[in-house]
Amino acid sequence: MSEKEDLAKQKAEAAAKAKAVALARKQAKAEEAEEKPEGEIDIAKQKAEAAAKAKAAALARKQAKAETAEKPEGEIDIAKQKAAAAAKAKAAALARKQAKAEAEEKPEGEIDIAKQKAAAAAKAKAAALARKQAKAEEAEEKPEGEMDAAKQKAAAAAKAKAAALAKKQAKAEEAEEKPEGEIDIAKQKAAAAAKAKAAAVAKAKAAAAAKNRTAVQESEEADTPSEISPNQSKLDQIVSAIESHVGQGALLENYINRLSKDVPTLVANPDTYFSIAKFLRYDEQLDFSYLSELHGTDFESHMEIYVHLHSFKMNQSVALKVKLDRDTPVIPSLVPLWSGANWPECEAYDLLGINFYEHPDLKRILLGEDWKGYPLRKDYEPYDVEV
């Protein structure tokens, strides 16, 4: 073997040694940074040894290939064997030395902490495994009835979810398939149905409330105080005259309205309303020739017409009332008896929808003829919701 070959061999061995030492140092630092428990340290040592061996073997193979270009075949084999044996021995010695150094460097407290961590990790793993096993056993121990009930609930929930999804999808498909005009019509129908439903509910509530209010109001009006009203005798006179000339059942009731200056109040039957008004107007003893007021009111349970009359001959006023069906409020007009009833009846027709038949010119005087609905009704809703 020539001097050049010896020199190349020495250089290769020196480079392999330096590289193996650097690798071992790097591995040792990484192992020091991780405070591994005793079991993990052994595994790390084995991994480091294996890595060092593999690295040294790879380096030896590379060096041997480089030398083969110049050496004869016999020398090449001997060199390979020597290099491999030297690398293995070096790597093993270095790994043992590094393991001893790490064990000596770690204080006793760190070793205990590492052991405690390893023990805690083992306990946690065992607890998780126990919980998993307990769940499996619980599922096995459940009676067949409970399992069936759970299955039924799950199936019912799945069906409900599928049905809801199908409805949603059907609505979406319906909206996509319908032309724009049909969608607008459907929206209008839905809005109209919602309005009608809301109106019906409001009407029912209003009717119930109105009944209570009307009962309270009428009881208060009809309540007879301890002191007799100065107009009681005149009321008795008027009632007696009406019953004599119109009939016993012409009046539904009569009372002194203490809330309105003790005015005598007559509540007429709708069938005898016009007859009573005509008698009050033309009777020589009564002679109620002046109509001072006429208006309608929506009490939600019914409509009511209130007429205020005055007799200059008797120097007395009287109130004539009549209750009408709210759905079809129809009553004779008083214009043939008092011309002053013309515009008040048109107003009641315009704002409440009360129809006065035999009126000479019944028309809307505040709103147009094409106006929808009657604004003074308690359940009135504007036709155009944006107005």
Side-chain angles (χ1 to χ4, degrees), residues 161-208:
K161 193 170 183 180
L165 185 62
K167 286 180 183 176
K168 187 175 180 181
Q169 188 173 358
K171 287 182 181 178
E173 290 174 356
E174 187 178 354
E176 289 175 1
E177 291 173 0
K178 283 187 178 178
E180 188 175 353
E182 290 185 10
I183 291 171
D184 292 338
I185 293 170
K187 286 181 180 178
Q188 292 173 3
K189 286 182 179 179
K195 285 183 182 178
K197 192 171 182 179
V201 173
K203 185 177 179 181
K205 289 182 179 178

Side-chain angles (χ1 to χ4, degrees), residues 6 85 106-107 110 165 181 332:
D6 291 337
K106 282 192 178 179
E110 290 185 9
L165 185 62

Side-chain angles (χ1 to χ4, degrees), residues 217-234:
Q217 182 180 355
E218 290 179 352
S219 64
E220 288 176 352
E221 291 177 352
D223 187 25
T224 303
S226 57
E227 184 180 346
I228 297 175
S229 170
N231 292 331
Q232 185 63 47
S233 59
K234 293 181 180 179

Side-chain angles (χ1 to χ4, degrees), residues 195-263:
K195 285 183 182 178
K197 192 171 182 179
V201 173
K203 185 177 179 181
K205 289 182 179 178
K211 284 182 181 179
N212 293 334
R213 287 200 299 269
T214 304
V216 172
Q217 182 180 355
E218 290 179 352
S219 64
E220 288 176 352
E221 291 177 352
D223 187 25
T224 303
S226 57
E227 184 180 346
I228 297 175
S229 170
N231 292 331
Q232 185 63 47
S233 59
K234 293 181 180 179
L235 174 62
D236 294 340
Q237 178 187 351
I238 295 168
V239 170
S240 178
I242 291 172
E243 290 179 347
S244 298
H245 292 83
V246 181
Q248 288 290 328
L251 291 172
L252 296 178
E253 59 179 315
N254 62 87
Y255 54 89
I256 297 292
N257 190 349
R258 292 285 188 176
L259 302 177
S260 182
K261 299 180 181 179
D262 282 15
V263 63

Side-chain angles (χ1 to χ4, degrees), residues 58-200:
L59 188 62
R61 283 195 299 271
K62 187 176 179 181
Q63 184 64 33
K65 285 181 183 178
E67 292 174 358
T68 54
E70 298 176 0
K71 289 184 179 181
E73 189 175 350
E75 292 182 3
I76 290 170
D77 293 336
I78 294 168
K80 284 182 180 178
Q81 293 171 3
K82 286 181 178 179
K88 287 181 182 179
K90 194 76 177 178
L94 186 63
R96 286 194 296 271
K97 186 178 179 181
Q98 186 64 33
K100 288 179 181 179
E102 288 176 0
E104 289 173 0
E105 286 175 3
K106 282 192 178 179
E108 188 176 354
E110 290 185 9
I111 293 171
D112 292 339
I113 292 169
K115 287 181 180 179
Q116 290 172 4
K117 286 183 178 179
K123 285 182 182 179
K125 193 169 183 180
L129 185 62
R131 285 196 296 271
K132 187 175 180 182
Q133 189 172 357
K135 286 182 180 178
E137 290 175 356
E138 185 180 352
E140 290 176 0
E141 290 174 0
K142 276 188 177 179
E144 188 176 352
E146 289 185 10
M147 292 178 69
D148 292 340
K151 287 181 181 178
Q152 290 172 2
K153 285 182 181 179
K159 285 182 182 178
K161 193 170 183 180
L165 185 62
K167 286 180 183 176
K168 187 175 180 181
Q169 188 173 358
K171 287 182 181 178
E173 290 174 356
E174 187 178 354
E176 289 175 1
E177 291 173 0
K178 283 187 178 178
E180 188 175 353
E182 290 185 10
I183 291 171
D184 292 338
I185 293 170
K187 286 181 180 178
Q188 292 173 3
K189 286 182 179 179
K195 285 183 182 178
K197 192 171 182 179

Side-chain angles (χ1 to χ4, degrees), residues 306-332:
Y306 178 93
V307 183
H308 195 274
L309 305 171
H310 185 77
S311 171
F312 295 100
K313 187 173 185 178
M314 294 180 65
N315 192 24
Q316 179 62 44
S317 295
V318 69
L320 177 62
K321 291 183 178 183
V322 62
K323 297 178 181 180
L324 307 176
D325 180 68
R326 194 173 183 276
D327 295 329
T328 55
V330 180
I331 200 71

